Amino acid sequence: MQNMMKKILAISGSLRAESTNLKIIENVAKLAADSLEISVYQGLPALPAFNPDLDAEAIAEPAEVADLRKQISEADGIIICTPGCTKRSAAR
C-alpha cells in the first residue's frame, strides 16, 4: 500500500516579506517534510476585503476568492499563523 502524504495549506496572516509567521510556517514545513506536503498560500495580498454581500449566488466571486476556496477544498488540513499584538494591549 502506497503511503499518501497529507496535503496541508498554510496561510500566513502577515504580508511582510520577512514575517515571523511565514518563517514559522516554513520551519514547520521543513520539520514535517517526511509526512506532510505543506504549500504556502501566496494570494493573500490580492484577496478583496470581506464583504458578505458578494457571497450571493447571483454575483460571480472574484477569481482570487475562487482560487483560495479551491485550494482549501483540495487540502486535507489548514495551518493559519497570524500575528499577535506588538507591545500593545489587545482590542476589547
Side-chain angles (χ1 to χ4, degrees), residues 14-23 26:
S14 174
L15 300 178
R16 288 184 56 234
E18 294 298 318
S19 164
T20 303
N21 298 285
L22 181 57
K23 290 182 187 297
E26 290 170 344

Side-chain angles (χ1 to χ4, degrees), residues 10-88:
I11 302 171
S12 172
S14 174
L15 300 178
R16 288 184 56 234
E18 294 298 318
S19 164
T20 303
N21 298 285
L22 181 57
K23 290 182 187 297
I24 291 169
I25 287 173
E26 290 170 344
N27 282 308
V28 168
K30 287 178 188 174
L31 290 170
D34 291 340
S35 57
L36 298 173
E37 179 186 327
I38 298 178
S39 61
V40 180
Y41 178 65
Q42 301 294 328
L44 193 62
L47 284 176
F50 174 69
N51 182 349
D53 293 336
L54 297 177
D55 213 16
E57 288 184 30
I59 299 172
E61 66 185 0
E64 298 84 4
V65 174
D67 177 61
L68 176 58
R69 287 181 172 169
K70 179 178 183 284
Q71 288 188 49
I72 289 171
S73 70
E74 292 174 350
D76 296 306
I78 301 171
I79 296 172
I80 302 174
C81 191
T82 62
C85 296
T86 322
K87 301 178 187 167
R88 298 182 192 106

